[in-house]
Each structure stands twice: as C-alpha cells, then as structure tokens.
Amino acid sequence: MDKLAIKGGTPLSGEIAISGAKNAALPILCAALLTDEIMTFSNLPHLRDVTTLLRLLAQMGVRVTPESEAAAALDASGLNNPCAPYDLVKTMRASILVLGPLLARCGEARVSLPGGCAIGARPVDQHIRGLQAMGAEIQVEQGYIQAKAGHLQGARICTDMVTVTGTENLMMAATLAEGETIIENAAREPEVVDLANCLVNMGARIFGAGTDVIRVQGVERLHGAAYAIMPDRIETGTYLCAAAVTGGRVRLLKTAADTLDSIIDKLMEAGCDIQIAREAIHLQAPARLKSVSLRTAPYPAFPTDMQAQFMAINCVAEGVATIRETIFENRFMHVAELQRLGADIQIEGNNAVVRGIAGLQGANVMATDLRASASLVVAALAAQGETRIDRIYHLDRGYEDMALKLSRLGAKVERI
Ligand code: UD1
C-alpha cells in the first residue's frame, strides 16, 4: 500500500493550478444519464472517485470516451442496466447520485444502499422521501433501493436537513418530471449551482440554485451539452492551509475565490495576508499563525470538508481554538493521529479544544478518511522530522497528484 513520506519544516512557495471539483464532477457526470445525446466534460479531475463513477456508469451501458487529459465524452444512448451494485457503491457514497437520474430517464432503478461510512451513519432517507413525493414507489430490500415510477410528478419537497447530494438527486430527477418541483431547505453549495448550470445547458428549467428554494419546471427531454467543471474549493483550501502552516507564500491558479469566503476569512483571522485576482489566490503567511475557532455548517458557513485541515493548523498556532462539528457525528478521527505528532487536542462530543504548541514532531500515522488524510499532510508539513502517512488511497479519492503539487511548492514529499 502506498505511503507518503513528508519531511516538514520547509515554507511552501511558488504556484500550482487547482483541479476540477470532485464534488461537482460526481453529480455532473451522473447528469449524463438524463439524456440520450452526447455530453462532453472538461476540467474533470483525475481522481479515484471519478474513475469509480465512470466504471459504474459504463456498466449501466454508458459509453465513456476519454478525450484528453481532463476531458471525456459520455454517451448514455445505450443505457440498458439501471443498476448500481454494492461492489462499486460501497467504495463511494456519492454513487447514490445515479438514483434520481435513472428513475427519471428509465422509470426504474436498483441502487445499493451506501451502507456504513467512516464519518458517520449518513443515511439516504431524504433522497428516498423526496423521490416518493414525486410519485416513485420505493422499497428497500436486501440492501438495495428498488425504485419504480411511471412518469415522475412535480412535487413540493422540504428536506428535514440540508443535504448536498440529496438536493442534487432531487433536482436531477425533477428536470424530467411532469410539472413543477419545489425543493425547500435546499443545499446552497457552489457544487449544487454548478450542477444546475450544467442541467440548464442541457435544456433544464431550474430557478433559485444557490438559494434554499430551488424550483424545477420539468421538460420532456434534455439534450447534449459541453460543460467545464468548476474548480475544487476544498483542494484550494487545503493548499492554502498547507502554505499557511509552513509560513509560506503561494499563488493558487485556476481557482474561484468567491466560493471560499468562509475559508479565506478564517485564514485572514489566523494572520495570513490574502490577495485575490482573477482565478487566482495569493497567500502570504505570518511567521506563526493565530488560533482560529470555528463551527462547521452548510454553505455559506464553514465547510465540514475543511474542518480537519484547520484542526491541523490550530495544532501549531498561538492560542486555544474550539472546533465544533455540526454536520457529521464522527468526524474527529484525525485527532488521534494528530496527537501522535504531539498535538494537544481534547474532544468532548462534537467539540474539540486545540491548544497550539510550539512544534509537532514527525511520526508514523494512518489516514482514516479523505479529509482526515489531508489534515495529516498539513500537520506533517509543519512537523519537525519525517512523517509517514499510511493508507493514502483515501487521498487519491479526492486530491489529484497531491505529492507532485506539493513538491512543486517546494515540500519534501515522496510517495513510497
Ligand atoms: C456532501 C459532500 C461531502 C460533504 C457533505 C457535507 C459530495 C459528493 N459529498 O456529502 O464531501 O462533506 O456534503 O457538506 O458532494 N443526511 C441524512 N439523510 C439524508 C441525507 C443526509 O440524515 O438522506 C444527513 C447526513 O448524515 C449528514 C447531513 O445530513 O449528517 C449532511 O449530509 P449531506 O449533505 O447529504 O452529505 P453528502 O451529500 O453525502
């Protein structure tokens, strides 16, 4: 199994380009199921989750043609197997995003339940309830969601909590439903807006994406389109943290600062100087960061996907920070590993209290989930000596060429 060996202590400097957003690419690729015409996608990130999803779509009968480095054409005219088997779904919860499009296009779907997940129970009841409101008959049998619908009907749906993939699934299903669907308490994440923009390019009628009420007027069919995936705000935020924790100075290109307000605010509060230019962010870190307390919540508040990386920077910042996780109940798994590097962190329920110390020490640590792994990389870059991070297949799910990008910024990192 691959590991990352990182020798910390070098301030990062230089510039790198940010890749396309994983969490936008996954739903947008699923949108190809909604049309029998060809979709072409650019700025697709090379990630394990994207490959997994393409494999899943291919075994449903979608023809996937890689076009260049970061582009692919998807042709779902031969869609003949509306089924997502356990083997693929278990490795990636986002596979649930095929449910809405399959049901809308084929009138049936058989999708494995995502099952347990390292960062909490993460049920899909809201996806199911919303589709039932649109007239689908859904049974859960032997670990599979069995869904059938004649023609989905527009409905008014208010989700019990803000759910990103839930909003995306229902929005996709509604594009081909009869009449109008109103999704209340909708997720406002930029990735939801990116998906809506792609669907609109395909001929969908969607209003209000980016607000908490999305209206979708169903159309008879959607057509092919070309679409460029938005930049990854979490990848951007992770490299900003990596630069900040090392006292570095970096410029991140091909990114979108307007999707990172809460992250940029916190980095400025920590003492970083941040300048924003067209599609670029420049960060200059102070000699030592100040602690920043935060609370995760749905967009536009601070994202849960950046909580672990900020925990890492707080480990060596001046002062005491309180970090409150409100989205997932088990998202502090990086804490035990950060403690192996010497971090002073105490957990009480969903709160972590981080007391900044003068320096971390390199050690062997284990990646437990995607963003937890990213926090270990951030901490390792600040630590004295070598840190070896095991199980980095988690990182490969969500960060394109991380070792290469970090070396371009001058980090001493090796994949072994
Ligand atoms: C998405 C992101 C993930 C991010 C998360 C929260 C993708 C592919 N993944 O995950 O990176 O961490 O948003 O910003 O975009 N819930 C239910 N029932 C449901 C759906 C959700 O109880 O039917 C709960 C979840 O357990 C969780 C909360 O709602 O506590 C939010 O989850 P959700 O927004 O659905 O996360 P994902 O869409 O899976």
Side-chain angles (χ1 to χ4, degrees), residues 93 96-97 99-100 123-133 138 145 159 163-170:
R93 180 186 150 84
I96 191 71
L97 285 163
L99 179 62
V124 289
D125 55 308
Q126 302 300 308
H127 304 236
I128 293 177
R129 225 172 48 98
L131 292 169
Q132 283 171 330
I138 300 185
I145 302 168
T159 55
T163 154
V164 178
T165 49
T167 302
E168 292 166 343
N169 233 340
L170 298 176

Side-chain angles (χ1 to χ4, degrees), residues 22-23 26-27 93-94 97 119 121-127 161-166 168 189 191 233 304-305 326-329 331 371:
K22 169 178 90 74
N23 286 354
L26 298 175
R93 180 186 150 84
L97 285 163
I119 63 170
R122 299 180 89 178
V124 289
D125 55 308
Q126 302 300 308
H127 304 236
M161 77 287 297
V162 176
T163 154
V164 178
T165 49
E168 292 166 343
E189 267 66 4
E191 293 78 10
R233 64 193 167 101
T304 175
D305 286 352
T326 76
I327 308 283
F328 295 115
E329 73 267 28
R331 211 172 196 185
R371 307 304 170 185

Side-chain angles (χ1 to χ4, degrees), residues 35-50:
T35 175
D36 59 4
E37 294 184 15
I38 294 175
M39 294 291 302
T40 46
F41 300 108
S42 55
N43 205 31
L44 269 180
H46 278 268
L47 299 171
R48 205 161 61 103
D49 275 8
V50 169

